[in-house]
Amino acid sequence: MVKLKNKDCTVGIDAGELVSFVCDGHEFIHQKGSPGWGSSDTEMFPVIGPLDKANFRIQTPKGEAIQDQHGLLRQIPYELILQTESTAVFVKEYLAGTKVKNSKYPAKSTEPFMDWPYSFRFEKSFELKEGALEIVFRISGEEGMPFMLGYHPAFKLHTDTPVIIANDQKISLDEVLAVGSRAFQVPDCTAVTLKDKKNITIETKGFGHFMCWTEVRNMICIEPISFYPYAVEQKDLDKGFQYLKDKAEFKVVIKPNL
């Protein structure tokens, strides 16, 4: 477990996963073991969304790739490469064509392995600053590699009637629950505030959109995304790709409003 701290907040990171963010005694992150989801954060890369109705295949400029929901990155372990009192940097590296075991098989998938025809390096860095936790994603790899990126953090809810504020729109927990597994779309948005017992704001750079998901009342996932996957049929999910130009950087800043 990696721990970051300053005078106001502490952060817990388990193998690259944000498992705790406590400020003034208030826990903002969904805890593993609580109802709703078995994780507390993850990344969606190089695809976002399900592909079960497309035979778990997606088109790339180098041909078909086998992917499952939200991509193969989450199946690869992080390596910690740097740690200080206020920062931690984790890396995943992938060699083109390598078979990656699919944890969804056989219960939820017909594919025991996933693959991707491009090599890449994926870096996730945390920095605890005064009044904010900054998370930066840096992607490097082959020129022209197609990809989508989504960040999938889960926030603990402390009241029955939290509200999400996005582009002056008020979104209730009931509205998110009603959409179900598709996730509530929040297009063209770079900052969202979750109003609960204590408020928190998620500011982003590079993503452009959000989606919100939960199936319980004690947590909510507020997810910065580069593409909303349900905007197209699964067979056309490749329309959501952007293409790597040497390197790409995406940023998420989580600011408690204490």
Side-chain angles (χ1 to χ4, degrees):
M1 179 73 73
V2 172
K3 292 189 176 181
L4 312 179
K5 62 181 180 179
N6 60 20
K7 62 183 178 65
D8 296 317
C9 302
T10 60
V11 170
I13 306 163
D14 182 9
E17 182 179 7
L18 177 64
V19 295
S20 180
F21 185 25
V22 177
C23 297
D24 288 349
H26 183 92
E27 176 64 79
F28 286 99
I29 301 300
H30 167 69
Q31 298 298 287
K32 293 182 180 183
S34 297
W37 189 38
S39 300
S40 55
D41 94 342
T42 192
E43 288 75 55
M44 300 174 280
F45 180 91
V47 301
I48 303 172
L51 282 161
D52 56 307
K53 295 177 182 176
N55 197 30
F56 301 99
R57 265 72 175 171
I58 189 167
Q59 290 293 331
T60 81
K62 289 189 174 184
E64 275 190 343
I66 300 174
Q67 294 286 299
D68 211 319
Q69 183 164 1
H70 299 330
L72 57 69
L73 184 77
R74 60 178 58 191
Q75 306 288 345
I76 302 170
Y78 273 115
E79 177 188 357
L80 176 66
I81 61 169
L82 176 67
Q83 181 182 354
T84 70
E85 186 176 44
S86 60
T87 63
V89 181
F90 296 84
V91 167
K92 298 184 181 189
E93 294 193 77
Y94 176 78
L95 181 64
T98 303
K99 299 291 185 182
V100 175
K101 191 173 181 179
N102 184 6
S103 64
K104 291 182 176 291
Y105 175 85
K108 296 182 178 180
S109 177
T110 60
E111 298 298 327
F113 297 96
M114 292 181 277
D115 59 50
W116 191 241
Y118 300 84
S119 298
F120 62 80
R121 183 179 190 272
F122 189 96
E123 181 182 293
K124 181 182 185 180
S125 68
F126 298 86
E127 184 174 2
L128 183 57
K129 298 183 174 182
E130 185 175 351
L133 174 62
E134 184 175 286
I135 305 169
V136 178
F137 304 98
R138 296 180 178 90
I139 302 163
S140 57
E142 289 184 52
E143 184 86 10
M145 180 182 75
F147 72 95
M148 308 168 208
L149 176 62
Y151 178 46
H152 193 309
F155 296 95
K156 182 177 182 178
L157 296 176
H158 295 260
T159 69
D160 293 330
T161 55
V163 175
I164 297 164
I165 306 296
N167 290 340
D168 297 322
Q169 178 186 8
K170 291 184 178 180
I171 305 163
S172 70
L173 181 61
D174 287 332
E175 287 177 280
V176 176
L177 284 164
V179 176
S181 62
R182 288 176 64 90
F184 189 99
Q185 183 182 14
V186 186
D188 303 318
C189 183
T190 59
V192 164
T193 296
L194 173 61
K195 290 184 172 292
D196 195 39
K197 185 176 181 181
K198 290 191 177 181
N199 300 343
I200 195 164
T201 297
I202 301 97
E203 298 177 353
T204 68
K205 184 176 181 181
F207 291 93
H209 316 280
F210 282 87
M211 62 184 184
C212 302
W213 169 80
T214 189
E215 295 179 359
V216 295
R217 303 195 73 89
N218 59 280
M219 66 148 233
I220 189 164
C221 295
I222 300 175
E223 308 167 35
I225 52 173
S226 63
F227 179 73
Y228 181 67
Y230 301 100
V232 296
E233 297 292 327
Q234 288 186 20
K235 63 180 178 62
D236 299 320
L237 192 60
D238 59 294
K239 292 180 179 178
F241 280 141
Q242 53 185 273
Y243 296 87
L244 189 65
K245 296 179 179 179
D246 185 34
K247 296 180 181 180
E249 183 173 298
F250 298 77
K251 183 183 293 186
V252 177
V253 181
I254 303 175
K255 294 182 176 180
N257 304 322
L258 302 173

